Amino acid sequence: QFVREVQEAVGAAVDGIPGPETLSKTPTVSRWENARHRVVRPLQRRLYQLGYLQVGEADGIAGPMFTAAVKAYQRDHGCVTDGEITAAHDTWKRLLKLEGR
């Protein structure tokens, strides 16, 4: 479901299968960039489902609680710990389960 929500939010083909098209359309998301992008709410829900409860309620705004949850996820998954979800630093790849593809 998360992959489909991301695909819809970024304008990729909605097939539930993450791949190069989906990744190429993912924006950088942080409290400083794209903080109110349509993809923020699915990201918040996914982080919460993964146990990063500090993200709080999925309100669609990447604020300080979002940043704390992203940094914790990044630390736990070997990503650059900067609080930004980017394809370049592998956070999107990890969230979409694309590492190794």
Side-chain angles (χ1 to χ4, degrees):
Q1 182 63 28
F2 170 67
V3 173
R4 287 180 183 277
E5 289 176 354
V6 168
Q7 289 170 328
E8 185 176 331
V10 301
V14 181
D15 60 8
I17 302 167
E21 180 199 3
T22 303
L23 188 63
S24 73
K25 294 187 176 202
T26 57
T28 295
V29 179
S30 71
R31 44 189 295 206
W32 305 278
E33 193 170 345
N34 297 306
R36 293 178 183 260
H37 191 282
R38 289 181 52 196
V39 79
V40 173
R41 194 178 307 269
L43 282 167
Q44 289 172 316
R45 284 194 293 264
R46 183 66 180 145
L47 288 165
Y48 193 88
Q49 289 169 349
L50 293 172
Y52 298 93
L53 307 182
Q54 62 268 51
V55 75
E57 182 181 332
D59 61 3
I61 302 167
M65 292 167 50
F66 178 85
T67 301
V70 170
K71 284 183 175 181
Y73 177 88
Q74 290 172 325
R75 272 191 301 274
D76 291 348
H77 291 88
C79 301
V80 172
T81 306
D82 59 7
E84 294 187 335
I85 297 179
T86 66
H89 292 155
D90 293 336
T91 307
W92 267 119
K93 290 178 188 173
R94 296 270 190 322
L95 284 165
L96 293 169
K97 298 188 187 303
L98 282 169
E99 63 274 357
R101 286 188 190 188

